[in-house]
Amino acid sequence: MPMLPDWQTAVAKVGSALVAPDARGCSTRYLLPIAQWIREQRAQGKTVIVVSSGAVAAGRAAQGRMDTTTPLTIPEKQALAAIGQSLLMQHWSRLFDVPCAQVLLTYDDLRRRTRFVNAKNTLSALIDTGALPIVNENDTVATDELRVGDNDNLAAFVAVLAEADLLVMCSDVDGLYDADPHTTPNATRIPRVNAIDASVHALAGGSHHAAATGGMRTKIEAAEKATDRGIPTIIINGKKRAYLDALRNGQVPGTLFTGAAPAQQLSSRKHWMRHALPAIGRLFVDEGAAHALQEQGASLLPSGIIDVEGSFAPGDAVIVARRSEGTTQPIAKGIVQYSAADVRAIQGKHSTNIARVLSTAPTDHIIHRDDLVLL
Ligand SMILES: Nc1ncnc2c1ncn2[C@@H]1O[C@H](COP(=O)(O)OP(=O)(O)O)[C@@H](O)[C@H]1O
Ligand SMILES: N[C@@H](CCC(=O)OP(=O)(O)O)C(=O)O
C-alpha cells in the first residue's frame, strides 16, 4: 500500500453516493465516520476543507421527487439544489461542534483572476476563524457557461485555492481500477499513478449512481489539476471504515496520484491559465512554430501561424494547435496580444511587417512565452 504523504491542509471531497447513499436525502451512515476523521485531524492542528455534493439529492427527498429515472430540467435541478443546500448544511452542522461555513462557488469565481484571488482570501480568513468550510457549487445560479459542473473538479480548484497539500476524494469505489468495477467484476485496482496521461484517462468511465455527476472520469481530471500544482490526490472508498483507519496509519488504501515534482509543477498563474481560463479560439501553427514553442520555450510569432479560428480580442485565451499533413494536435494555450481579425491579417508574415499591415505593432509576437502554457 502506498504511504500517505505528510500533509497540513487537506480538501476532502465527499460525493453524493456517500451523502445520500439511497438517493433519498442526506444520511449519517457514511458521514459520521468521515466527520470523526475530520475532527481528529483538526484536533492534531491540521486544516480540512470539505467539498460536499448532495444538494440536489437532499432537495429531491424534501420535495418527494424520488423518481430518478425521469431527468430533471435545469431550472428544476436549480430549484431542488436551493432547497437541498440548506438541508445539506444543517446535516453537516450536526456532526461538528464548530461552525460549518457554507461556501458556494461558480466557475466564474475561478476563471476571473480577481475573483479567484478574492475567493482565496475569503477561504483563508474563514479558516483562521476556526470554522469548517463546506464548499459546493452554487448550482442555483450555475448556467452552463458559469458552472464547473462537477464537484471533483471543483474540489481540485479549491485545493489549489487553499494551497492544500492533499486532496482526498471519498467515493463509493475502492480507487481507480483498470475498468469500471461495477460493469467489469474482475477489474484490478491501481494503487499508485505517477503521471496522468491519455492511457489513465482512458480507464475511467462515468457513474452508475443516480445522484452523482461525473464518475471516475471527473476524478481523474481533478487529480490532474491538483497534481499539476504538486498536490497529491487520493481516491478512497468513504463507505469503508477500514479505509479511514488506514489513512490514520499513514497508508493510502485506494489510489494515490503523486504530485508533480517541483520542476514539473505549474506556477499559480500558469495553472490558472491551463485549467481555469476558457479558450475562445484556436491558432493553427506549422511544424516549425510548434517545435519552437515546445522545445525552445519561444513566444509565438505571426510567421508560424497558418490558420485562425474563432473571434477573440487581445487578452483572450486561445488554444494553439499544430497542423501537419491533415492532422491537428493541441499543443499549448495562451493569451493573445492581437484580435482574431488582426492575426488573420498578419498570419504567415514576418514580425517586421506587422506595423505595415496593421499600422501599429504593439508587440512583435502574438503570444508571449510568459503567457503560454504547454498542454
Ligand atoms: N476505472 C474505474 N475505476 C473505478 N470506478 C470507476 C471506473 N470507471 C467508472 N467508475 C465508476 O465511478 C463511480 C464513482 O464515481 P461517482 O458515482 O460519480 O461517485 P461520487 O458520488 O463519489 O462522485 C464508481 O462507483 C464506478 O462505477
Ligand atoms: N453540486 C451537486 C453535486 C454535483 C456532483 O459532482 O456530484 P458527485 O458526482 O456526487 O460528486 C449537488 O450538490 O447536488
Side-chain angles (χ1 to χ4, degrees), residues 13-18 53 152 169-183 202-209 211-219:
K13 188 261 170 171
V14 184
S16 306
L18 300 178
S53 305
D152 297 324
M169 286 194 274
C170 302
S171 187
D172 67 342
V173 65
D174 287 4
L176 171 68
Y177 281 71
D178 57 5
D180 184 348
H182 283 100
T183 48
L203 301 176
S207 175
H208 64 282
H209 194 274
T213 304
M216 192 48 62
R217 215 170 284 135
T218 49
K219 287 175 187 39

PDB file of all heavy atoms in Angstrom, residues 13-18 53 152 169-183 202-209 211-219, ligand 1:
ATOM      1  N   LYS A  13     -13.236  15.712  -0.514  1.00  0.00           N
ATOM      2  CA  LYS A  13     -14.438  15.766  -1.346  1.00  0.00           C
ATOM      3  C   LYS A  13     -15.326  14.571  -1.025  1.00  0.00           C
ATOM      4  O   LYS A  13     -14.868  13.426  -1.055  1.00  0.00           O
ATOM      5  CB  LYS A  13     -14.053  15.771  -2.832  1.00  0.00           C
ATOM      6  CG  LYS A  13     -15.246  16.010  -3.750  1.00  0.00           C
ATOM      7  CD  LYS A  13     -15.779  14.735  -4.322  1.00  0.00           C
ATOM      8  CE  LYS A  13     -17.099  14.935  -5.038  1.00  0.00           C
ATOM      9  NZ  LYS A  13     -17.526  13.740  -5.782  1.00  0.00           N
ATOM     10  N   VAL A  14     -16.568  14.852  -0.690  1.00  0.00           N
ATOM     11  CA  VAL A  14     -17.492  13.784  -0.327  1.00  0.00           C
ATOM     12  C   VAL A  14     -18.613  13.773  -1.367  1.00  0.00           C
ATOM     13  O   VAL A  14     -19.336  14.761  -1.529  1.00  0.00           O
ATOM     14  CB  VAL A  14     -18.053  14.017   1.099  1.00  0.00           C
ATOM     15  CG1 VAL A  14     -18.935  12.844   1.512  1.00  0.00           C
ATOM     16  CG2 VAL A  14     -16.917  14.212   2.099  1.00  0.00           C
ATOM     17  N   GLY A  15     -18.719  12.670  -2.091  1.00  0.00           N
ATOM     18  CA  GLY A  15     -19.670  12.588  -3.204  1.00  0.00           C
ATOM     19  C   GLY A  15     -21.089  12.270  -2.759  1.00  0.00           C
ATOM     20  O   GLY A  15     -21.327  11.846  -1.626  1.00  0.00           O
ATOM     21  N   SER A  16     -22.024  12.472  -3.680  1.00  0.00           N
ATOM     22  CA  SER A  16     -23.452  12.209  -3.395  1.00  0.00           C
ATOM     23  C   SER A  16     -23.673  10.773  -2.937  1.00  0.00           C
ATOM     24  O   SER A  16     -24.564  10.509  -2.116  1.00  0.00           O
ATOM     25  CB  SER A  16     -24.300  12.432  -4.650  1.00  0.00           C
ATOM     26  OG  SER A  16     -24.081  13.685  -5.190  1.00  0.00           O
ATOM     27  N   ALA A  17     -22.867   9.840  -3.463  1.00  0.00           N
ATOM     28  CA  ALA A  17     -23.048   8.431  -3.131  1.00  0.00           C
ATOM     29  C   ALA A  17     -22.865   8.197  -1.626  1.00  0.00           C
ATOM     30  O   ALA A  17     -23.394   7.222  -1.087  1.00  0.00           O
ATOM     31  CB  ALA A  17     -22.054   7.574  -3.921  1.00  0.00           C
ATOM     32  N   LEU A  18     -22.114   9.074  -0.962  1.00  0.00           N
ATOM     33  CA  LEU A  18     -21.910   8.937   0.481  1.00  0.00           C
ATOM     34  C   LEU A  18     -22.901   9.793   1.260  1.00  0.00           C
ATOM     35  O   LEU A  18     -23.381   9.401   2.318  1.00  0.00           O
ATOM     36  CB  LEU A  18     -20.483   9.353   0.857  1.00  0.00           C
ATOM     37  CG  LEU A  18     -19.382   8.545   0.184  1.00  0.00           C
ATOM     38  CD1 LEU A  18     -18.026   9.072   0.604  1.00  0.00           C
ATOM     39  CD2 LEU A  18     -19.498   7.074   0.550  1.00  0.00           C
ATOM     40  N   SER A  53     -21.027  17.223  -2.075  1.00  0.00           N
ATOM     41  CA  SER A  53     -22.144  17.111  -3.010  1.00  0.00           C
ATOM     42  C   SER A  53     -23.383  16.766  -2.201  1.00  0.00           C
ATOM     43  O   SER A  53     -23.303  16.590  -0.987  1.00  0.00           O
ATOM     44  CB  SER A  53     -21.869  15.999  -4.018  1.00  0.00           C
ATOM     45  OG  SER A  53     -20.645  16.217  -4.661  1.00  0.00           O
ATOM     46  N   ASP A 152     -15.856  17.017  -8.288  1.00  0.00           N
ATOM     47  CA  ASP A 152     -14.483  16.509  -8.298  1.00  0.00           C
ATOM     48  C   ASP A 152     -13.551  17.621  -8.783  1.00  0.00           C
ATOM     49  O   ASP A 152     -12.556  17.954  -8.128  1.00  0.00           O
ATOM     50  CB  ASP A 152     -14.369  15.283  -9.215  1.00  0.00           C
ATOM     51  CG  ASP A 152     -15.226  14.128  -8.728  1.00  0.00           C
ATOM     52  OD1 ASP A 152     -15.328  13.959  -7.502  1.00  0.00           O
ATOM     53  OD2 ASP A 152     -15.806  13.428  -9.566  1.00  0.00           O
ATOM     54  N   MET A 169     -10.445  12.287  -2.228  1.00  0.00           N
ATOM     55  CA  MET A 169     -11.763  12.122  -2.829  1.00  0.00           C
ATOM     56  C   MET A 169     -12.412  10.860  -2.267  1.00  0.00           C
ATOM     57  O   MET A 169     -11.940   9.742  -2.536  1.00  0.00           O
ATOM     58  CB  MET A 169     -11.647  12.077  -4.345  1.00  0.00           C
ATOM     59  CG  MET A 169     -11.354  13.473  -4.883  1.00  0.00           C
ATOM     60  SD  MET A 169     -11.589  13.615  -6.634  1.00  0.00           S
ATOM     61  CE  MET A 169      -9.994  13.071  -7.150  1.00  0.00           C
ATOM     62  N   CYS A 170     -13.438  11.072  -1.443  1.00  0.00           N
ATOM     63  CA  CYS A 170     -14.127   9.945  -0.817  1.00  0.00           C
ATOM     64  C   CYS A 170     -15.295   9.564  -1.717  1.00  0.00           C
ATOM     65  O   CYS A 170     -16.210  10.359  -1.939  1.00  0.00           O
ATOM     66  CB  CYS A 170     -14.692  10.331   0.544  1.00  0.00           C
ATOM     67  SG  CYS A 170     -13.456  10.938   1.695  1.00  0.00           S
ATOM     68  N   SER A 171     -15.247   8.346  -2.221  1.00  0.00           N
ATOM     69  CA  SER A 171     -16.296   7.909  -3.139  1.00  0.00           C
ATOM     70  C   SER A 171     -16.879   6.582  -2.671  1.00  0.00           C
ATOM     71  O   SER A 171     -16.671   6.172  -1.519  1.00  0.00           O
ATOM     72  CB  SER A 171     -15.693   7.788  -4.542  1.00  0.00           C
ATOM     73  OG  SER A 171     -16.704   7.526  -5.478  1.00  0.00           O
ATOM     74  N   ASP A 172     -17.594   5.897  -3.560  1.00  0.00           N
ATOM     75  CA  ASP A 172     -18.195   4.610  -3.201  1.00  0.00           C
ATOM     76  C   ASP A 172     -17.436   3.466  -3.855  1.00  0.00           C
ATOM     77  O   ASP A 172     -17.932   2.362  -3.986  1.00  0.00           O
ATOM     78  CB  ASP A 172     -19.661   4.569  -3.652  1.00  0.00           C
ATOM     79  CG  ASP A 172     -19.789   4.581  -5.167  1.00  0.00           C
ATOM     80  OD1 ASP A 172     -18.825   4.961  -5.856  1.00  0.00           O
ATOM     81  OD2 ASP A 172     -20.862   4.196  -5.675  1.00  0.00           O
ATOM     82  N   VAL A 173     -16.222   3.758  -4.313  1.00  0.00           N
ATOM     83  CA  VAL A 173     -15.434   2.762  -5.019  1.00  0.00           C
ATOM     84  C   VAL A 173     -14.035   2.762  -4.384  1.00  0.00           C
ATOM     85  O   VAL A 173     -13.606   3.790  -3.840  1.00  0.00           O
ATOM     86  CB  VAL A 173     -15.417   3.095  -6.540  1.00  0.00           C
ATOM     87  CG1 VAL A 173     -14.696   4.394  -6.833  1.00  0.00           C
ATOM     88  CG2 VAL A 173     -14.870   1.963  -7.384  1.00  0.00           C
ATOM     89  N   ASP A 174     -13.342   1.635  -4.438  1.00  0.00           N
ATOM     90  CA  ASP A 174     -12.082   1.490  -3.693  1.00  0.00           C
ATOM     91  C   ASP A 174     -10.904   2.256  -4.296  1.00  0.00           C
ATOM     92  O   ASP A 174      -9.792   2.209  -3.765  1.00  0.00           O
ATOM     93  CB  ASP A 174     -11.707   0.004  -3.590  1.00  0.00           C
ATOM     94  CG  ASP A 174     -12.614  -0.724  -2.604  1.00  0.00           C
ATOM     95  OD1 ASP A 174     -13.544  -0.091  -2.081  1.00  0.00           O
ATOM     96  OD2 ASP A 174     -12.387  -1.923  -2.359  1.00  0.00           O
ATOM     97  N   GLY A 175     -11.094   2.912  -5.406  1.00  0.00           N
ATOM     98  CA  GLY A 175      -9.999   3.651  -6.045  1.00  0.00           C
ATOM     99  C   GLY A 175     -10.168   3.577  -7.546  1.00  0.00           C
ATOM    100  O   GLY A 175     -11.259   3.234  -8.033  1.00  0.00           O
ATOM    101  N   LEU A 176      -9.104   3.872  -8.273  1.00  0.00           N
ATOM    102  CA  LEU A 176      -9.137   3.743  -9.738  1.00  0.00           C
ATOM    103  C   LEU A 176      -8.833   2.296 -10.113  1.00  0.00           C
ATOM    104  O   LEU A 176      -7.855   1.710  -9.636  1.00  0.00           O
ATOM    105  CB  LEU A 176      -8.089   4.668 -10.372  1.00  0.00           C
ATOM    106  CG  LEU A 176      -7.871   4.470 -11.876  1.00  0.00           C
ATOM    107  CD1 LEU A 176      -9.094   4.889 -12.684  1.00  0.00           C
ATOM    108  CD2 LEU A 176      -6.637   5.248 -12.347  1.00  0.00           C
ATOM    109  N   TYR A 177      -9.696   1.730 -10.953  1.00  0.00           N
ATOM    110  CA  TYR A 177      -9.490   0.366 -11.448  1.00  0.00           C
ATOM    111  C   TYR A 177      -9.128   0.425 -12.928  1.00  0.00           C
ATOM    112  O   TYR A 177      -9.317   1.456 -13.584  1.00  0.00           O
ATOM    113  CB  TYR A 177     -10.782  -0.449 -11.283  1.00  0.00           C
ATOM    114  CG  TYR A 177     -10.998  -0.947  -9.879  1.00  0.00           C
ATOM    115  CD1 TYR A 177     -11.335  -0.057  -8.849  1.00  0.00           C
ATOM    116  CD2 TYR A 177     -10.869  -2.287  -9.566  1.00  0.00           C
ATOM    117  CE1 TYR A 177     -11.532  -0.512  -7.557  1.00  0.00           C
ATOM    118  CE2 TYR A 177     -11.075  -2.755  -8.274  1.00  0.00           C
ATOM    119  CZ  TYR A 177     -11.397  -1.858  -7.272  1.00  0.00           C
ATOM    120  OH  TYR A 177     -11.587  -2.305  -5.995  1.00  0.00           O
ATOM    121  N   ASP A 178      -8.652  -0.702 -13.446  1.00  0.00           N
ATOM    122  CA  ASP A 178      -8.323  -0.715 -14.879  1.00  0.00           C
ATOM    123  C   ASP A 178      -9.580  -0.801 -15.746  1.00  0.00           C
ATOM    124  O   ASP A 178      -9.501  -0.750 -16.974  1.00  0.00           O
ATOM    125  CB  ASP A 178      -7.309  -1.827 -15.217  1.00  0.00           C
ATOM    126  CG  ASP A 178      -7.784  -3.195 -14.804  1.00  0.00           C
ATOM    127  OD1 ASP A 178      -8.941  -3.309 -14.334  1.00  0.00           O
ATOM    128  OD2 ASP A 178      -7.015  -4.165 -14.952  1.00  0.00           O
ATOM    129  N   ALA A 179     -10.758  -0.924 -15.110  1.00  0.00           N
ATOM    130  CA  ALA A 179     -12.054  -0.824 -15.793  1.00  0.00           C
ATOM    131  C   ALA A 179     -13.085  -0.553 -14.707  1.00  0.00           C
ATOM    132  O   ALA A 179     -12.799  -0.780 -13.522  1.00  0.00           O
ATOM    133  CB  ALA A 179     -12.390  -2.125 -16.516  1.00  0.00           C
ATOM    134  N   ASP A 180     -14.278  -0.078 -15.080  1.00  0.00           N
ATOM    135  CA  ASP A 180     -15.304   0.195 -14.067  1.00  0.00           C
ATOM    136  C   ASP A 180     -15.674  -1.102 -13.342  1.00  0.00           C
ATOM    137  O   ASP A 180     -16.204  -2.028 -13.955  1.00  0.00           O
ATOM    138  CB  ASP A 180     -16.539   0.810 -14.760  1.00  0.00           C
ATOM    139  CG  ASP A 180     -17.612   1.204 -13.753  1.00  0.00           C
ATOM    140  OD1 ASP A 180     -17.517   0.810 -12.571  1.00  0.00           O
ATOM    141  OD2 ASP A 180     -18.540   1.923 -14.155  1.00  0.00           O
ATOM    142  N   PRO A 181     -15.394  -1.205 -12.034  1.00  0.00           N
ATOM    143  CA  PRO A 181     -15.668  -2.463 -11.323  1.00  0.00           C
ATOM    144  C   PRO A 181     -17.152  -2.807 -11.253  1.00  0.00           C
ATOM    145  O   PRO A 181     -17.505  -3.958 -10.990  1.00  0.00           O
ATOM    146  CB  PRO A 181     -15.097  -2.222  -9.924  1.00  0.00           C
ATOM    147  CG  PRO A 181     -14.949  -0.753  -9.796  1.00  0.00           C
ATOM    148  CD  PRO A 181     -14.803  -0.191 -11.160  1.00  0.00           C
ATOM    149  N   HIS A 182     -18.031  -1.823 -11.505  1.00  0.00           N
ATOM    150  CA  HIS A 182     -19.463  -2.138 -11.478  1.00  0.00           C
ATOM    151  C   HIS A 182     -19.900  -2.889 -12.723  1.00  0.00           C
ATOM    152  O   HIS A 182     -20.906  -3.577 -12.708  1.00  0.00           O
ATOM    153  CB  HIS A 182     -20.291  -0.854 -11.304  1.00  0.00           C
ATOM    154  CG  HIS A 182     -20.270  -0.381  -9.890  1.00  0.00           C
ATOM    155  ND1 HIS A 182     -19.447   0.633  -9.458  1.00  0.00           N
ATOM    156  CD2 HIS A 182     -20.939  -0.817  -8.791  1.00  0.00           C
ATOM    157  CE1 HIS A 182     -19.617   0.811  -8.166  1.00  0.00           C
ATOM    158  NE2 HIS A 182     -20.514  -0.053  -7.731  1.00  0.00           N
ATOM    159  N   THR A 183     -19.130  -2.744 -13.791  1.00  0.00           N
ATOM    160  CA  THR A 183     -19.513  -3.477 -15.011  1.00  0.00           C
ATOM    161  C   THR A 183     -18.491  -4.569 -15.344  1.00  0.00           C
ATOM    162  O   THR A 183     -18.779  -5.482 -16.100  1.00  0.00           O
ATOM    163  CB  THR A 183     -19.618  -2.496 -16.208  1.00  0.00           C
ATOM    164  OG1 THR A 183     -18.453  -1.687 -16.222  1.00  0.00           O
ATOM    165  CG2 THR A 183     -20.852  -1.628 -16.091  1.00  0.00           C
ATOM    166  N   ALA A 202      -8.155   7.087 -20.200  1.00  0.00           N
ATOM    167  CA  ALA A 202      -8.936   6.090 -20.961  1.00  0.00           C
ATOM    168  C   ALA A 202      -9.548   5.013 -20.051  1.00  0.00           C
ATOM    169  O   ALA A 202     -10.521   4.367 -20.430  1.00  0.00           O
ATOM    170  CB  ALA A 202      -8.042   5.442 -22.014  1.00  0.00           C
ATOM    171  N   LEU A 203      -8.991   4.823 -18.851  1.00  0.00           N
ATOM    172  CA  LEU A 203      -9.514   3.787 -17.947  1.00  0.00           C
ATOM    173  C   LEU A 203     -10.836   4.190 -17.315  1.00  0.00           C
ATOM    174  O   LEU A 203     -11.620   3.334 -16.892  1.00  0.00           O
ATOM    175  CB  LEU A 203      -8.518   3.538 -16.801  1.00  0.00           C
ATOM    176  CG  LEU A 203      -7.103   3.085 -17.164  1.00  0.00           C
ATOM    177  CD1 LEU A 203      -6.264   2.997 -15.895  1.00  0.00           C
ATOM    178  CD2 LEU A 203      -7.165   1.735 -17.869  1.00  0.00           C
ATOM    179  N   ALA A 204     -11.060   5.505 -17.234  1.00  0.00           N
ATOM    180  CA  ALA A 204     -12.144   5.995 -16.387  1.00  0.00           C
ATOM    181  C   ALA A 204     -13.474   6.088 -17.118  1.00  0.00           C
ATOM    182  O   ALA A 204     -13.556   6.619 -18.215  1.00  0.00           O
ATOM    183  CB  ALA A 204     -11.767   7.374 -15.835  1.00  0.00           C
ATOM    184  N   GLY A 205     -14.509   5.585 -16.476  1.00  0.00           N
ATOM    185  CA  GLY A 205     -15.851   5.676 -17.035  1.00  0.00           C
ATOM    186  C   GLY A 205     -16.712   6.609 -16.209  1.00  0.00           C
ATOM    187  O   GLY A 205     -16.243   7.286 -15.289  1.00  0.00           O
ATOM    188  N   GLY A 206     -18.008   6.627 -16.527  1.00  0.00           N
ATOM    189  CA  GLY A 206     -18.957   7.502 -15.835  1.00  0.00           C
ATOM    190  C   GLY A 206     -19.464   6.881 -14.551  1.00  0.00           C
ATOM    191  O   GLY A 206     -18.861   5.944 -14.027  1.00  0.00           O
ATOM    192  N   SER A 207     -20.593   7.427 -14.058  1.00  0.00           N
ATOM    193  CA  SER A 207     -21.150   6.962 -12.789  1.00  0.00           C
ATOM    194  C   SER A 207     -22.360   6.070 -13.022  1.00  0.00           C
ATOM    195  O   SER A 207     -23.063   6.217 -14.008  1.00  0.00           O
ATOM    196  CB  SER A 207     -21.570   8.177 -11.959  1.00  0.00           C
ATOM    197  OG  SER A 207     -22.202   7.759 -10.791  1.00  0.00           O
ATOM    198  N   HIS A 208     -22.622   5.161 -12.084  1.00  0.00           N
ATOM    199  CA  HIS A 208     -23.828   4.334 -12.167  1.00  0.00           C
ATOM    200  C   HIS A 208     -24.846   4.816 -11.148  1.00  0.00           C
ATOM    201  O   HIS A 208     -25.917   4.255 -11.004  1.00  0.00           O
ATOM    202  CB  HIS A 208     -23.459   2.874 -11.869  1.00  0.00           C
ATOM    203  CG  HIS A 208     -22.972   2.714 -10.460  1.00  0.00           C
ATOM    204  ND1 HIS A 208     -21.703   3.071 -10.085  1.00  0.00           N
ATOM    205  CD2 HIS A 208     -23.608   2.323  -9.344  1.00  0.00           C
ATOM    206  CE1 HIS A 208     -21.582   2.881  -8.773  1.00  0.00           C
ATOM    207  NE2 HIS A 208     -22.705   2.443  -8.302  1.00  0.00           N
ATOM    208  N   HIS A 209     -24.497   5.880 -10.394  1.00  0.00           N
ATOM    209  CA  HIS A 209     -25.307   6.333  -9.270  1.00  0.00           C
ATOM    210  C   HIS A 209     -26.229   7.472  -9.723  1.00  0.00           C
ATOM    211  O   HIS A 209     -25.761   8.420 -10.354  1.00  0.00           O
ATOM    212  CB  HIS A 209     -24.339   6.824  -8.173  1.00  0.00           C
ATOM    213  CG  HIS A 209     -24.976   7.004  -6.838  1.00  0.00           C
ATOM    214  ND1 HIS A 209     -25.610   8.160  -6.473  1.00  0.00           N
ATOM    215  CD2 HIS A 209     -25.082   6.170  -5.771  1.00  0.00           C
ATOM    216  CE1 HIS A 209     -26.067   8.036  -5.234  1.00  0.00           C
ATOM    217  NE2 HIS A 209     -25.756   6.830  -4.793  1.00  0.00           N
ATOM    218  N   ALA A 211     -27.648   9.958  -8.235  1.00  0.00           N
ATOM    219  CA  ALA A 211     -27.447  11.320  -7.745  1.00  0.00           C
ATOM    220  C   ALA A 211     -26.074  11.884  -8.102  1.00  0.00           C
ATOM    221  O   ALA A 211     -25.804  13.061  -7.912  1.00  0.00           O
ATOM    222  CB  ALA A 211     -27.616  11.342  -6.225  1.00  0.00           C
ATOM    223  N   ALA A 212     -25.178  11.055  -8.634  1.00  0.00           N
ATOM    224  CA  ALA A 212     -23.801  11.516  -8.880  1.00  0.00           C
ATOM    225  C   ALA A 212     -23.683  12.167 -10.255  1.00  0.00           C
ATOM    226  O   ALA A 212     -24.575  12.027 -11.099  1.00  0.00           O
ATOM    227  CB  ALA A 212     -22.842  10.344  -8.762  1.00  0.00           C
ATOM    228  N   THR A 213     -22.551  12.845 -10.473  1.00  0.00           N
ATOM    229  CA  THR A 213     -22.403  13.581 -11.722  1.00  0.00           C
ATOM    230  C   THR A 213     -21.338  13.006 -12.634  1.00  0.00           C
ATOM    231  O   THR A 213     -21.584  12.726 -13.796  1.00  0.00           O
ATOM    232  CB  THR A 213     -22.077  15.063 -11.423  1.00  0.00           C
ATOM    233  OG1 THR A 213     -23.098  15.573 -10.597  1.00  0.00           O
ATOM    234  CG2 THR A 213     -22.026  15.879 -12.699  1.00  0.00           C
ATOM    235  N   GLY A 214     -20.124  12.833 -12.103  1.00  0.00           N
ATOM    236  CA  GLY A 214     -19.028  12.623 -13.038  1.00  0.00           C
ATOM    237  C   GLY A 214     -18.451  11.222 -13.157  1.00  0.00           C
ATOM    238  O   GLY A 214     -17.812  10.891 -14.147  1.00  0.00           O
ATOM    239  N   GLY A 215     -18.638  10.377 -12.150  1.00  0.00           N
ATOM    240  CA  GLY A 215     -17.991   9.074 -12.171  1.00  0.00           C
ATOM    241  C   GLY A 215     -16.482   9.218 -12.013  1.00  0.00           C
ATOM    242  O   GLY A 215     -15.990  10.194 -11.449  1.00  0.00           O
ATOM    243  N   MET A 216     -15.740   8.237 -12.531  1.00  0.00           N
ATOM    244  CA  MET A 216     -14.282   8.237 -12.369  1.00  0.00           C
ATOM    245  C   MET A 216     -13.624   9.268 -13.304  1.00  0.00           C
ATOM    246  O   MET A 216     -12.552   9.784 -13.016  1.00  0.00           O
ATOM    247  CB  MET A 216     -13.752   6.834 -12.649  1.00  0.00           C
ATOM    248  CG  MET A 216     -12.328   6.561 -12.261  1.00  0.00           C
ATOM    249  SD  MET A 216     -11.831   7.070 -10.609  1.00  0.00           S
ATOM    250  CE  MET A 216     -12.877   6.103  -9.548  1.00  0.00           C
ATOM    251  N   ARG A 217     -14.305   9.569 -14.416  1.00  0.00           N
ATOM    252  CA  ARG A 217     -13.730  10.480 -15.410  1.00  0.00           C
ATOM    253  C   ARG A 217     -13.350  11.826 -14.778  1.00  0.00           C
ATOM    254  O   ARG A 217     -12.236  12.319 -14.952  1.00  0.00           O
ATOM    255  CB  ARG A 217     -14.786  10.702 -16.499  1.00  0.00           C
ATOM    256  CG  ARG A 217     -14.218  10.856 -17.869  1.00  0.00           C
ATOM    257  CD  ARG A 217     -15.309  10.824 -18.916  1.00  0.00           C
ATOM    258  NE  ARG A 217     -15.822   9.503 -19.191  1.00  0.00           N
ATOM    259  CZ  ARG A 217     -17.123   9.197 -19.296  1.00  0.00           C
ATOM    260  NH1 ARG A 217     -18.051  10.114 -19.117  1.00  0.00           N
ATOM    261  NH2 ARG A 217     -17.483   7.961 -19.563  1.00  0.00           N
ATOM    262  N   THR A 218     -14.299  12.394 -14.016  1.00  0.00           N
ATOM    263  CA  THR A 218     -14.036  13.713 -13.437  1.00  0.00           C
ATOM    264  C   THR A 218     -13.046  13.613 -12.265  1.00  0.00           C
ATOM    265  O   THR A 218     -12.370  14.594 -11.949  1.00  0.00           O
ATOM    266  CB  THR A 218     -15.351  14.372 -12.970  1.00  0.00           C
ATOM    267  OG1 THR A 218     -16.076  13.419 -12.191  1.00  0.00           O
ATOM    268  CG2 THR A 218     -16.192  14.808 -14.156  1.00  0.00           C
ATOM    269  N   LYS A 219     -12.927  12.426 -11.675  1.00  0.00           N
ATOM    270  CA  LYS A 219     -11.939  12.266 -10.595  1.00  0.00           C
ATOM    271  C   LYS A 219     -10.524  12.313 -11.173  1.00  0.00           C
ATOM    272  O   LYS A 219      -9.606  12.846 -10.556  1.00  0.00           O
ATOM    273  CB  LYS A 219     -12.187  10.974  -9.820  1.00  0.00           C
ATOM    274  CG  LYS A 219     -13.417  11.090  -8.937  1.00  0.00           C
ATOM    275  CD  LYS A 219     -13.776   9.819  -8.250  1.00  0.00           C
ATOM    276  CE  LYS A 219     -15.097   9.941  -7.522  1.00  0.00           C
ATOM    277  NZ  LYS A 219     -16.163  10.702  -8.164  1.00  0.00           N
TER     278      LYS A 219
HETATM  279  N1  LIG B   1     -11.951   2.810 -13.976  1.00  0.00           N
HETATM  280  C1  LIG B   1     -12.804   2.976 -12.954  1.00  0.00           C
HETATM  281  N2  LIG B   1     -12.409   2.688 -11.681  1.00  0.00           N
HETATM  282  C2  LIG B   1     -13.252   2.868 -10.637  1.00  0.00           C
HETATM  283  N3  LIG B   1     -14.522   3.327 -10.759  1.00  0.00           N
HETATM  284  C3  LIG B   1     -14.977   3.642 -11.984  1.00  0.00           C
HETATM  285  C4  LIG B   1     -14.140   3.480 -13.143  1.00  0.00           C
HETATM  286  N4  LIG B   1     -14.846   3.904 -14.229  1.00  0.00           N
HETATM  287  C5  LIG B   1     -16.054   4.298 -13.783  1.00  0.00           C
HETATM  288  N5  LIG B   1     -16.160   4.149 -12.433  1.00  0.00           N
HETATM  289  C6  LIG B   1     -17.372   4.473 -11.647  1.00  0.00           C
HETATM  290  O1  LIG B   1     -17.182   5.685 -10.923  1.00  0.00           O
HETATM  291  C7  LIG B   1     -18.020   5.617  -9.765  1.00  0.00           C
HETATM  292  C8  LIG B   1     -17.615   6.682  -8.740  1.00  0.00           C
HETATM  293  O2  LIG B   1     -17.999   7.961  -9.181  1.00  0.00           O
HETATM  294  P1  LIG B   1     -19.423   8.641  -8.757  1.00  0.00           P
HETATM  295  O3  LIG B   1     -20.532   7.642  -8.922  1.00  0.00           O
HETATM  296  O4  LIG B   1     -19.526   9.916  -9.519  1.00  0.00           O
HETATM  297  O5  LIG B   1     -19.261   8.853  -7.216  1.00  0.00           O
HETATM  298  P2  LIG B   1     -19.178  10.170  -6.318  1.00  0.00           P
HETATM  299  O6  LIG B   1     -20.597  10.496  -5.959  1.00  0.00           O
HETATM  300  O7  LIG B   1     -18.357   9.702  -5.172  1.00  0.00           O
HETATM  301  O8  LIG B   1     -18.516  11.265  -7.117  1.00  0.00           O
HETATM  302  C9  LIG B   1     -17.822   4.207  -9.318  1.00  0.00           C
HETATM  303  O9  LIG B   1     -18.844   3.754  -8.479  1.00  0.00           O
HETATM  304  C10 LIG B   1     -17.718   3.419 -10.620  1.00  0.00           C
HETATM  305  O10 LIG B   1     -18.934   2.838 -11.004  1.00  0.00           O
END
